[in-house]
Amino acid sequence: MRILLNGALGRMGRCFADCALAQDGVQIAAGVDSAAIAQEQPFPVYADLLDLPLGADVLVDFSSPVGAKQALLWCADAGLPCVICTTGLDAAAARTMDFCTQRIPVFSSANLSLGAALMTELCRVAAAALGPGFEVDILEQHHRAKADAPSGTALALAAAAAAAGHGKICGEADCPLPRPEGTVVLHALRAGTAVGEHEVRFSGRDEILRISHTVASREVFARGALAAARFLICQKPGLYQMKDLIK
């Protein structure tokens, strides 16, 4: 499998490259990064997507919301499957993704961890079983440099709880007091070097249920992206997520 890597010199890009290059049958054909520098890399790195060579099997994006949008359009034009690992995508990027999925297979997930994907399903089941009589809080912490808050995983967890019968989703600062029944409240902390911690807390009368997930290394996301790339190159045009990979 030959991979093009967008955002090759970022923290996750470097982690993904190390993980990919350690796998048999996997090759990083080339990378792209706006901060491309003239230092030796195990594969060529270009400053612009337009300079990337063709002939790869899939593009994996660990760049930025703007970079992800550009990668989607480039892949749609090249007919190349695209794995979007960037979070914090806006409505414009979502519309671009919808357009591109008509031409190519696209994989996009708020979290590429198998454990986080299962956590979302557990959250959905618990919310439906407990009902709006239990308040739902989504608590998450990431390293201080993470640019978006709340995280994409936290938003996915909140959406899962809301879809199962709970009501409005709001941030901690925006939640009215006294708290309305069924409200899902998001709490985000950006501090230290935490890779990713998420907890869903269901608080009822005289009891609390907690579902939590902690990532200790960025390699979890790199391995998930590799699995997504292998899965995607065999798919038809459309949008695919972790639930599809799990199946």
Side-chain angles (χ1 to χ4, degrees):
M1 179 172 62
R2 288 170 54 82
I3 300 172
L4 298 177
L5 178 57
N6 193 29
L9 300 181
R11 279 179 295 188
M12 273 309 309
R14 291 178 185 272
C15 180
F16 176 84
D18 290 341
C19 186
L21 293 172
Q23 300 286 319
D24 292 334
V26 178
Q27 178 186 357
I28 305 293
V32 60
D33 198 292
S34 59
I37 52 178
Q39 72 178 50
E40 187 175 349
Q41 302 288 340
F43 49 86
V45 178
Y46 302 91
D48 196 302
L49 273 166
L50 297 177
D51 296 328
L52 283 176
L54 298 177
D57 299 305
V58 62
L59 182 144
V60 175
D61 174 85
F62 274 110
S63 60
S64 66
V66 172
K69 183 179 176 180
Q70 294 171 342
L72 282 164
L73 293 171
W74 187 89
C75 286
D77 186 60
L80 192 69
C82 184
V83 178
I84 298 295
C85 306
T86 300
T87 60
L89 302 181
D90 59 14
R95 289 192 295 270
T96 298
M97 188 177 298
D98 288 340
F99 167 76
C100 293
T101 56
Q102 301 174 38
R103 303 183 63 179
I104 58 170
V106 175
F107 191 101
S108 179
S109 178
N111 192 314
L112 288 157
S113 157
L114 175 61
L118 291 174
M119 181 184 183
T120 303
E121 294 304 311
L122 291 173
C123 177
R124 194 186 320 275
V125 171
L130 297 174
F134 280 68
E135 284 87 30
V136 183
D137 290 272
I138 315 293
L139 301 89
E140 54 102 350
Q141 177 175 349
H142 288 80
H143 56 87
R144 63 185 300 275
K146 184 171 173 59
D148 58 313
S151 68
T153 302
L155 291 171
L157 291 167
H166 289 263
K168 180 181 178 182
I169 300 171
C170 61
E172 182 178 9
D174 304 321
C175 181
L177 296 175
R179 179 173 175 168
E181 185 179 82
T183 305
V184 181
V185 181
L186 293 154
H187 311 261
L189 180 62
R190 296 290 174 267
T193 59
V195 176
E197 299 179 12
H198 293 87
E199 178 183 311
V200 183
R201 185 178 300 178
F202 297 88
S203 301
R205 183 174 180 178
D206 301 326
E207 60 178 329
I208 297 175
L209 171 65
R210 295 180 177 90
I211 304 173
S212 64
H213 178 260
T214 300
V215 173
S217 167
R218 290 183 176 85
E219 288 187 16
V220 170
F221 306 129
R223 291 194 297 268
L226 268 174
R230 289 193 182 95
F231 164 81
L232 195 66
I233 59 177
C234 301
Q235 305 305 319
K236 298 178 181 179
L239 178 62
Y240 301 89
Q241 300 174 318
M242 282 299 292
K243 61 183 181 181
D244 303 302
L245 178 58
I246 291 172
K247 292 178 183 178

